[in-house]
Amino acid sequence: MICFFFAMRCEAIPFIRLLGLKRDSSFGGFEVYRGEDITLCVTGMGKVDAACAVSAVLSSVLDIEHTLVVNIGVCAGRKAGEIYRISRLHDEDSGKDQYPDMLLKTDYPEICLHTSDAFKLDDNFTDDMSEFVYDMEGAAVFRAASSYVSPDRILLFKVVSDSGSPEGVTEELCIDLIGRYSEKLIGEINEIYASLPSSGVYDEANKIFVKYSDLYHCTEYMNNTLNRLIRFALSEGVDIDYMLAGYLPIENKKAANEALSDVERRLILS
């Protein structure tokens, strides 16, 4: 299942049309459209509505282990009309950062996304770490989706509509901006979805994870890293069991972190 989430219907219209989706009036609370192995939800604006919609949709998915979550929408930023893939999320209200898994590459430039429940009314798009774009839902979508799927199954794409002047963002502009990229995005998303491992691979991944979680003295954060590296490696046909065994014995958490970083580097280069 591919689950698309858009804050506004005007952002979703190009995808609804291209994918031939039909309204599912039986799904209460949110505007939901269905197609073959596709669910699209219009969440409404703001973090609370976005998080509630994501939880409602994903909790109803039967094959959650083979689900890809995609959030697409317009945002504020410096370069109007530019599309970005989000590589870091910063919640301005809580101050927390989140990091999507970027092992699966796309052709789009990567950028940080700041999220808050208020409209952005200034043209400052640089934080202490990098340039960013700004929306009102992205960080909430990612956090809610992370309760159901691993970070490598959550993709966020944002198209810049304005530089901090939301009064100029019309429905027609949103349809046009998203429509420019919709066909290419659908193609790339379908390719990523097709590359997701089957349920049999999940069983193998879980066995390898259980084996090395203790051997690597993993913290919760390290477990998340180990889990996504194992799943990615198996989807690429890499013998991750052999690779992880090559770093044993692991004496402490520092050595484990260094080993996992090296495994990630090798997987990216392979």
Side-chain angles (χ1 to χ4, degrees), residues 1-108:
M1 175 75 71
I2 303 176
C3 294
F4 290 95
F5 294 95
F6 297 82
M8 301 181 291
R9 188 174 186 274
C10 55
E11 297 170 320
I13 284 175
F15 281 77
I16 294 171
R17 290 173 176 170
L18 276 173
L19 295 169
L21 305 181
K22 303 298 182 183
R23 179 74 183 268
D24 180 2
S25 57
S26 67
F27 198 98
F30 300 97
E31 192 174 339
V32 171
Y33 296 80
R34 306 278 192 186
E36 185 177 353
D37 219 17
I38 292 175
T39 294
L40 184 151
C41 177
V42 178
T43 67
M45 296 176 65
K47 294 193 298 182
V48 173
D49 281 353
C52 289
V54 170
S55 295
V57 170
L58 295 185
S59 64
S60 70
V61 175
L62 297 179
D63 188 16
I64 195 64
E65 286 195 332
H66 201 255
T67 295
L68 185 67
V69 175
V70 185
N71 173 227
I72 300 170
V74 297
C75 64
R78 285 189 178 141
K79 300 176 182 177
E82 185 69 60
I83 185 172
Y84 295 98
R85 182 179 175 189
I86 304 306
S87 57
R88 176 170 68 94
L89 299 112
H90 176 75
D91 188 322
E92 291 197 351
D93 302 311
S94 68
K96 293 182 178 179
D97 285 346
Q98 302 172 97
Y99 293 88
D101 188 336
M102 304 302 289
L103 280 172
L104 295 172
K105 297 300 181 182
T106 66
D107 292 336
Y108 304 105

Side-chain angles (χ1 to χ4, degrees), residues 27 30 41 67 122 124 160 191 199 231 243 247 255 264 269:
F27 198 98
F30 300 97
C41 177
T67 295
D122 63 70
N124 175 33
V160 178
E191 288 182 7
S199 57
R231 294 186 181 212
M243 188 181 290
Y247 295 90
E264 182 163 6
L269 294 176

Side-chain angles (χ1 to χ4, degrees), residues 8 10-11 14 74 169-179:
M8 301 181 291
C10 55
E11 297 170 320
V74 297
V169 181
T170 64
E171 290 187 2
E172 292 76 15
L173 177 62
C174 292
I175 293 171
D176 175 60
L177 288 172
I178 300 297

Side-chain angles (χ1 to χ4, degrees), residues 2 44-45 50 96 98 110 128 136 141 150 197 209 216 226 229:
I2 303 176
M45 296 176 65
K96 293 182 178 179
Q98 302 172 97
E110 298 170 4
D128 293 339
M136 297 172 64
V141 169
S150 54
F209 172 77
Y216 272 59
L226 176 64
L229 291 177

Side-chain angles (χ1 to χ4, degrees), residues 263-270:
V263 168
E264 182 163 6
R265 179 189 61 80
R266 291 168 64 186
L267 288 174
I268 291 173
L269 294 176
S270 64

